[in-house]
Structures are given as structure tokens and as C-alpha cells.
Amino acid sequence: MSLVVYAASCLFGMAALLLCQKPHVALRDPLTASTCAAIVLGGLCFFCSAPVTLEAVNDFTGIPNFGAPMTYSVISAYSASLLILLLNWRGGPADGIRLWSVRIAAVYSLLIAAIITLFSLADAPVERLRDLDTYYANTPYMREMIVLYLVGHGACMITMCYVCLRWSREVTGILRTGLQLIMVGLAADVVGFECAKFTAVVARWTGHDLDVLSTDVAPQVTSLGALICSAGFVLPRLLPAAQVQWSSLSDYRALAPLWAELQNVPTAPKPAPPRWQLPRGRLYYRELRILDALLALQSRCDGRIRESAYRQAKAQGSTPGEADFVAAAAMVVDAAHQAGQLPPPDFPDSGGASRLHTAVFSETSELVRLSEALANSPVVRAAREGAKRATRS
């Protein structure tokens, strides 16, 4: 059991690190701060409930079962953090969110105080690491403490289910998917934790033994439910950023043929990019260098190459738009092979056709189309061979 809950705790911690890569910036955003707080407290719940942790806490304090009110208090704080997170996620007037957050924090603070007070009044001398809820189900004050934390956590789960269900009917896309995942996780928690625990406790009240529901079923199901629930909160925050990085990686690779053609073109020196970068940053530096190289080739662009390539592309069935990129790519290839010549060749006036308008390629998608034309067009390959022969001669 300890291995399962420790693994869940580590996953929660990893999710928090992904969301809070720059703490001094992220924590200024109430949504990010509340998300990180909820995830950290969720991981702490699993860490505290592990039998190994409970035994260590009991030995350290010298109080049998001291880990129980500690764990129940963390569970209650986790419940409050989930409600506050849902408030910030749903949005609305800032004053209203702040007021309800204070109310929720106050209610669950009183709940935690009651849990600690009841434990201090109870007589629980026998250490129980896995079955405390059922072992002390009939013990005065311990009984009330157990019921109180279950009611507090259950109220949070049911309230969140209701809010998420109503909200999911108003939204679409990734947000709705996130809400549906949250509801699945909450349902697993309600059925696998709340119902299992209450059933086992009530069975003890009536003289029956269903401890297996509390000791074996509840921890496994609640671990799965909490992870699904956390995925629902994190997915709408991380997926758009992940999609941007994935798209940037695709564009970065698509620009490789164009960069390979231009990387030896002399340009003004630029600061070296950071060694470790996400795909979006790598794409930015590659685009910047490509545009610098294209700008440096302006004076070497031969409009005759462009016009000839355009006619050939059209003759091969390209659309006017495709032919424009093929023609530009052919002119770039020819100019790149002349980059080492000094001074630039004196081409006849082509009425502006010799100009390589870098502004046209300021968008990533335009540079990608230019790179694809450069890599795939037989017209551009012929222009490259012609440029090589001209350079050798």
C-alpha cells in the first residue's frame, strides 16, 4: 500500500512542478497558485496516509495514532483547496471569489480544529496503521472524529460534482473534457472512498466486519480517482502549451531544408541561443537566422531565375500560389550559391521581381511553405544544379 500511495504522491508533485516552473511569476496568478496548492496537498494526503509515514510520525511524537488526525487534517485542507480551485477556475468577480474562498477556508479550518480536539479527548492507545477507522469506529470521540472528516470530504466531493456537471453543459472543447475527467475522478472518490469507508464503519456499528472495504478497496480506488481528478484540472492548463510546443517542433523540422541552404550565408553576428530550449524557443532562433540570411541575399536575387522558375512550376501543374513559393525558393537557392562572391552580381532590372520580400515570409507558415518548395520541387532542384555549374565555371 505504501508503494502505491507514494507513487501517487510523486505524480502529484511532478504535476505541480510542471505548472509552477517560475514560482515568482506563477504564484501571482490566483488560478495557478490554487491549482498548485491543491495538487501539493493532494500529494501530501497520499504521503501522510502511507503506513510507513504514519508509523514514523507516531514514533517521532511518541503518541499512538498521532498520524491519524494529521492525515485527516491534510485531507480536509485538500478538500478546501479543491473548492477554492474550482472557484478560481470558474471565474467571476474577484471580490466574490475572495469572499467565498475565505468562507471555505474558515469552515474547513474549524473542521480541522474539531478533528484535533476530538482526537485529544479520545482514548486510542493501540496503534493502528491501516484499519484505524474501523478499529476505533465505536470508540467515543474517535468515532465522531472519523465521521466528521468523512462528512467534510464527502461534502466537498458532492459539491464539486454538482458544479462541474452544470459547468460542463455550458462549455466545449478541452475545458469540457477536463471537467468530465474531474467528474469521473470525483465519482471514483465518492464510491471508492466515501461509500467504502462509511459502509465499513457502519458495519462495525452493527456488529459486522467489512474492514476490507476500508483497508484494501478505499486506498486503491481513491488513488486512481485523485489522479484522474488532478488530470482534469491540469489538462486544460498544460495541453494548449503542449500543443504549441508540438507544433513548434513540427515547424522547426520543416524549416531544416531551408536552414541547411542558408546557414553559410554571411549575416550580422547574433548572441548564441541558450543551450537548452523547448521547441518554441528553438523555432524562434531558427526563424530569426533564416530571415537574417534572406535579408542578406536581397542584393543577389536574380529576377530572371524567379520568372523562369514560376513559368516552369505553372507548366508542371502548380497553382499560382504554389508557383510563387517554388519561384522564390529557386531564386533563394541561386542567391545562396553566390553568397561568397564579392561584389554582388549586377542583374538587369526586373521590375522588382528580383526583390525577395522578407516581409512576405514573416509568418512561420510562409517560411515552412518556402522550405517545403525548396526541398520537394524539381524546379528548385534544377535551379540548384544550375547554380552549382555557374559557380564552378
Side-chain angles (χ1 to χ4, degrees), residues 99-165:
L99 177 61
W100 275 103
S101 297
V102 170
R103 289 175 177 174
I104 291 170
V107 169
Y108 278 89
S109 295
L110 291 174
L111 177 63
I112 292 171
I115 288 171
I116 296 172
T117 302
L118 289 169
F119 177 78
S120 65
L121 295 174
D123 182 20
V126 180
E127 182 182 59
R128 310 301 299 185
L129 301 178
R130 299 183 70 245
D131 62 347
L132 183 139
D133 291 344
T134 51
Y135 186 86
Y136 287 109
N138 291 306
T139 302
Y141 300 114
M142 290 292 286
R143 173 182 59 233
E144 287 77 9
M145 180 190 72
I146 294 165
V147 171
L148 195 59
Y149 98 85
L150 287 174
V151 168
H153 185 64
C156 167
M157 297 296 104
I158 293 172
T159 301
M160 289 186 63
C161 275
Y162 174 73
V163 174
C164 289
L165 180 61

Side-chain angles (χ1 to χ4, degrees), residues 66-383:
F66 183 85
M70 177 191 71
T71 302
Y72 298 160
S73 297
V74 174
I75 290 174
S76 299
Y78 175 56
S79 300
S81 70
L82 287 177
L83 291 172
I84 293 173
L85 169 57
L86 195 60
L87 280 175
N88 283 285
W89 198 21
R90 183 70 188 269
D95 291 341
I97 294 175
R98 193 178 302 109
L99 177 61
W100 275 103
S101 297
V102 170
R103 289 175 177 174
I104 291 170
V107 169
Y108 278 89
S109 295
L110 291 174
L111 177 63
I112 292 171
I115 288 171
I116 296 172
T117 302
L118 289 169
F119 177 78
S120 65
L121 295 174
D123 182 20
V126 180
E127 182 182 59
R128 310 301 299 185
L129 301 178
R130 299 183 70 245
D131 62 347
L132 183 139
D133 291 344
T134 51
Y135 186 86
Y136 287 109
N138 291 306
T139 302
Y141 300 114
M142 290 292 286
R143 173 182 59 233
E144 287 77 9
M145 180 190 72
I146 294 165
V147 171
L148 195 59
Y149 98 85
L150 287 174
V151 168
H153 185 64
C156 167
M157 297 296 104
I158 293 172
T159 301
M160 289 186 63
C161 275
Y162 174 73
V163 174
C164 289
L165 180 61
R166 290 190 58 185
W167 191 10
S168 65
R169 295 171 179 170
E170 303 171 4
V171 297
T172 57
I174 188 63
L175 178 55
R176 186 173 186 178
T177 302
L179 290 171
Q180 290 170 342
L181 283 174
I182 291 172
M183 287 188 288
V184 171
L186 294 173
D189 192 287
V190 170
V191 175
F193 184 79
E194 290 292 322
C195 292
K197 287 280 187 179
F198 262 121
T199 301
V201 169
V202 172
R204 279 295 185 123
W205 293 348
T206 58
H208 298 85
D209 185 354
L210 293 177
D211 290 8
V212 66
L213 294 177
S214 177
T215 57
D216 295 333
V217 175
Q220 308 293 334
V221 178
T222 194
S223 297
L224 177 62
L227 290 174
I228 295 173
C229 187
S230 296
F233 279 117
V234 172
L235 190 64
R237 305 292 311 282
L238 292 184
L239 187 60
Q243 289 174 331
V244 168
Q245 296 297 336
W246 181 259
S247 176
S248 297
L249 179 60
S250 177
D251 290 339
Y252 179 83
R253 290 174 174 172
L255 290 177
L258 181 58
W259 174 236
E261 197 75 42
L262 300 175
Q263 61 183 341
N264 294 323
V265 175
T267 59
K270 293 287 186 297
R275 186 173 181 180
W276 299 106
Q277 284 186 306
L278 291 173
R280 186 70 190 92
R282 296 173 68 86
L283 175 64
Y284 169 78
Y285 278 99
R286 174 162 284 186
E287 286 185 72
L288 186 63
R289 291 178 174 181
I290 287 174
L291 289 172
D292 282 348
L294 292 177
L295 186 62
L297 293 177
Q298 287 275 16
S299 60
R300 300 183 181 276
C301 291
D302 188 349
R304 295 169 299 177
I305 298 292
R306 183 172 196 159
E307 292 171 356
S308 175
Y310 183 85
R311 288 194 298 270
Q312 291 178 50
K314 289 279 288 181
Q316 293 178 8
S318 297
T319 65
E322 293 170 346
D324 281 334
F325 282 98
V326 170
M331 189 166 62
V332 166
V333 165
D334 180 75
H337 278 79
Q338 301 171 20
Q341 297 181 14
L342 292 174
D346 186 16
F347 297 122
D349 185 14
S350 302
S354 64
R355 295 177 185 173
L356 184 64
H357 295 286
T358 54
V360 173
F361 303 112
S362 59
E363 296 291 332
T364 302
S365 59
E366 304 297 320
L367 287 175
V368 167
R369 292 184 65 184
L370 181 66
S371 182
E372 290 172 346
L374 187 146
N376 302 322
S377 173
V379 175
V380 178
R381 284 197 292 271

